[in-house]
Amino acid sequence: MKVEQARLDDPDVRALIAYHQRDMHRISPPGTSWALDIAGLSGPDTTVLGAWYGAALMGIGAMKRLGNDSVELKSMRTLPDHLGKGVAKAILEELLQICRNEGFSRVSLETGTSEEFLPAITLYRRRGFMPGDAFSQYENGPHNQCYHLDLAD
């Protein structure tokens, strides 16, 4: 598996981003999904990584720089055929390394609370993310929750 920066003009990357956004809207009550489209993942403050096995895209993940010392994880998604292969973990580790290299001290994310989100929550908790206060435009509630990782620890 190779994890590297993804090109947003790559048709496979675009298709996976669209799939992720559709699925998040499908499993989330109206008004509770914050999955970004191509435009939302574009720009100098956002880095999108992909994981490939040969020419096959296996998954994506992104980080959006929020300020001088914090970053948000976005659009973490593994294609169904590649679940259980360590794709999300590999992407997460590469994103965290970028955060450390750029001097960020806090990584935050927002995720859902339903059963479909348990594998992601388990990954984040194992990596040291802890539930915490809402940030940015999010609110913690029955369908959304926020997690944070202090990179100084």
Side-chain angles (χ1 to χ4, degrees):
M1 179 184 339
K2 175 177 61 171
V3 177
E4 62 186 15
Q5 188 155 354
R7 292 186 349 265
L8 295 180
D9 63 348
D10 180 321
D12 292 336
V13 171
R14 294 176 77 85
L16 182 47
I17 291 168
Y19 166 73
H20 175 65
Q21 191 176 33
R22 280 192 314 273
D23 196 49
M24 290 298 95
H25 286 290
R26 180 186 65 79
I27 66 174
S28 303
T32 64
S33 174
W34 298 95
L36 296 176
D37 60 9
I38 293 289
L41 291 169
S42 299
D45 292 337
T46 304
T47 298
V48 180
L49 300 182
W52 283 268
Y53 183 75
L57 180 64
M58 302 169 72
I60 59 167
M63 57 182 268
K64 185 172 185 171
R65 294 154 186 87
L66 299 177
N68 292 336
D69 66 345
S70 63
V71 66
E72 177 184 3
L73 294 183
K74 296 295 297 180
S75 301
M76 294 287 291
R77 178 52 81 125
T78 301
L79 283 166
D81 288 349
H82 299 290
L83 293 172
K85 298 178 181 177
V87 173
K89 182 179 179 187
I91 292 171
L92 177 61
E93 289 304 322
E94 186 64 26
L95 286 168
L96 293 177
Q97 187 59 50
I98 293 169
C99 292
R100 285 189 290 276
N101 290 348
E102 293 186 14
F104 291 103
S105 61
R106 183 176 181 167
V107 181
S108 300
L109 63 94
E110 176 277 334
T111 191
T113 59
S114 65
E115 185 176 319
E116 292 91 347
F117 294 95
L118 287 178
I121 293 166
T122 300
L123 171 67
Y124 299 135
R125 300 271 322 221
R126 284 185 180 153
R127 188 54 185 83
F129 283 83
M130 299 300 294
D133 294 337
F135 67 101
S136 191
Q137 75 270 26
Y138 307 117
E139 294 180 15
N140 285 327
H143 304 291
N144 301 82
Q145 58 187 328
C146 295
Y147 283 80
H148 308 281
L149 175 66
D150 183 355
L151 291 177
D153 290 343

